[in-house]
């Protein structure tokens, strides 16, 4: 079984924002997954950071999709 390398392309502590990015990547046919991780010890112990992970070979395309979304939101 071949194992592919996965990289983080977007991080946020807002689940709604993560879901929006995940759906944009789904629409672009980019396989992705969301991972939870605790933030550093300087924050509250219950605070979590959500990461959207994609295959390494999809990283460039994923960043293009995310950048387009962020620029569109910035102009509103």
């Amino acid at each position: 079984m071949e194992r592919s390398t996965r990289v983080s392309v977007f991080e946020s502590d807002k689940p709604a924002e993560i879901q929006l990015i995940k759906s944009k990547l789904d629409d672009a046919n980019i396989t992705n997954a969301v991972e939870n991780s605790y933030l550093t010890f300087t924050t509250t112990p219950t605070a979590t950071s959500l990461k959207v992970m994609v295959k390494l070979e999809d990283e460039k395309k994923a960043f293009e999709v995310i950048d387009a979304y962020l620029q569109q939101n910035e102009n509103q």
Side-chain angles (χ1 to χ4, degrees):
M1 186 171 114
E2 184 183 325
R3 186 177 166 154
S4 62
T5 303
R6 298 176 77 76
V7 293
S8 172
V9 290
F10 190 79
E11 291 184 37
S12 178
D13 58 356
K14 300 178 187 132
E17 192 173 40
I18 290 289
Q19 201 53 48
L20 207 77
I21 294 295
K22 185 171 177 17
S23 112
K24 295 278 183 199
L25 294 175
D26 287 342
D27 291 347
N29 293 319
I30 299 172
T31 304
N32 61 82
V34 176
E35 286 186 6
N36 264 344
S37 62
Y38 285 103
L39 295 175
T40 63
F41 63 89
T42 57
T43 61
T44 55
T46 56
T48 58
S49 176
L50 299 166
K51 294 180 181 182
V52 179
M53 308 291 286
V54 300
K55 291 181 188 170
L56 183 60
E57 56 268 23
D58 291 332
E59 182 182 28
K60 185 176 185 285
K61 187 177 174 188
F63 277 130
E64 289 169 2
V65 170
I66 293 166
D67 285 346
Y69 161 74
L70 293 174
Q71 286 176 3
Q72 178 186 17
N73 263 17
E74 198 174 89
N75 295 333
Q76 289 180 353

